[in-house]
Amino acid sequence: MTRTGRRPGNPGTREAILTAARDAFSRQGYAGASVRRIAAAAGVDPALVHHYFGTKDELFTAALELPFTPAKVLPQVIAGDPDGIGERLLRTFLGIWDGPGGQQGLAALRTMLARDAEVGLFREFLISQVLRRAVEEYGLPDAAVRVPLAASQLIGVVLVRYVLRLEPLAGASVDWIVATVGPTIQRYLTGELPAPGPAD
Amino acid sequence: MTRTGRRPGNPGTREAILTAARDAFSRQGYAGASVRRIAAAAGVDPALVHHYFGTKDELFTAALELPFTPAKVLPQVIAGDPDGIGERLLRTFLGIWDGPGGQQGLAALRTMLARDAEVGLFREFLISQVLRRAVEEYGLPDAAVRVPLAASQLIGVVLVRYVLRLEPLAGASVDWIVATVGPTIQRYLTGELPAPGPAD
């Protein structure tokens, strides 16, 4: 097969869109970036961006190469007994990294954490895709404080289990991790926490 | 000032020792690596390694460019009321990353997490410098299970506060983080935890 330049389905076109998306989300934030301008920067029609990547949310997730879209995952986590939200979130999260796309997602996470340009993109992802939803769509009280705390434990577990591969977390069953670490996530999301004091 | 080749104090000599140390610790582990062989690989006398870097523990920490040596930090954390160990550990840990060497340490941590070769070195560091001490020197019950859990939360807080710079953790006072996250570390280190089940 010879390469005949850009066309629908051409990996070069997909990559050009993702590059333009990373640049736009990184410089303008999620709210400021537009699919229309991303398409223009990539030299394609906006309809092609939607055809390849779906919604703006899904384009953002694809640009980060993360194996999940919060808009699809969060509803099932948040539905149900509030006392089980910590365990459900952790179980769902571990399932994602254990599942298809998990390995590629890990590589993307590690790269993002290492590079200043991309770490800002990851922060914007957490703010616009996770935190904003928790506030606006699910009305989680004190989400702006609680979600980053939960994120700190979730990111730490992912790094120790899948990247550092430190036992017992590396080889432990999901059930054991959920029973052990789930109460931490639960407390951060719904438990009593000290009021934030002034920064020092 | 002209460069006149290797000599005591020459940055090239220090770097050669650190490179040989990284290679040895990475391939042979902490216990298997020897200062004598590291010195030989770097083309220097073992006494020079000790002169520059102190003990084998300190050489390991220097090789990782981390801003602390567990052998020096852990005694002050572990001394005192066992019910305050979580808060002391977290407060000490945040002080290290906020202090001199913190920025360089963060850069080193991010690089290690991103590279397969170095992630093994970091795991070996946690096992030989932190976990082994907790077991052998301080007799922490179930340290092999508890220390990695505490590490997952500590690493997560460092990444969210200093790398992702996600509020409120980025700008929060150390007191607030200690009051909020300290109980998690305390529970992992001394609280009741589920018995590890079979891996799945």
Side-chain angles (χ1 to χ4, degrees), chain A residues 110 113 116 119 122-123 144 148 152-153 156 159 163-164 167-168 171 173-174 176 180-181 183-184 187-188 194-196 198-200, chain B residues 110 113 115-116 122-123 144 148 152-153 156 159 164 167-168 171 173-174 176 180-181 183-184 187-188 194-196 198-200:
Chain A
R110 294 167 70 182
L113 289 173
D116 281 333
V119 94
F122 188 41
R123 179 174 50 240
S152 78
Q153 179 63 90
L159 289 174
V163 177
L164 287 171
E167 297 296 353
S173 69
V174 168
W176 182 76
T180 306
V181 178
T184 298
R187 178 172 155 266
Y188 290 157
D200 56 6
Chain B
R110 295 168 70 182
L113 290 174
R115 293 186 191 158
D116 281 332
F122 188 42
R123 179 174 51 239
S152 78
Q153 179 63 89
L159 290 174
L164 288 171
E167 296 297 353
S173 70
V174 167
W176 181 76
T180 305
V181 178
T184 298
R187 177 172 156 266
Y188 290 156
D200 56 7

Side-chain angles (χ1 to χ4, degrees), chain B residues 88-155:
Chain B
R88 282 199 302 282
L89 178 54
L90 185 53
R91 188 178 295 280
T92 303
F93 201 68
L94 292 172
I96 288 166
W97 297 100
D98 278 330
Q103 281 304 314
Q104 184 186 328
L106 277 179
L109 177 67
R110 295 168 70 182
T111 303
M112 279 192 291
L113 290 174
R115 293 186 191 158
D116 281 332
E118 295 186 29
V119 93
L121 203 60
F122 188 42
R123 179 174 51 239
E124 177 67 14
F125 169 82
L126 289 172
I127 291 171
S128 76
Q129 297 297 296
V130 182
L131 189 52
R132 182 180 57 82
R133 271 171 218 291
V135 173
E136 292 178 8
E137 294 178 24
Y138 308 110
L140 182 73
D142 307 318
V145 169
R146 295 179 179 281
V147 169
L149 286 166
S152 78
Q153 179 63 89
L154 290 171
I155 292 171

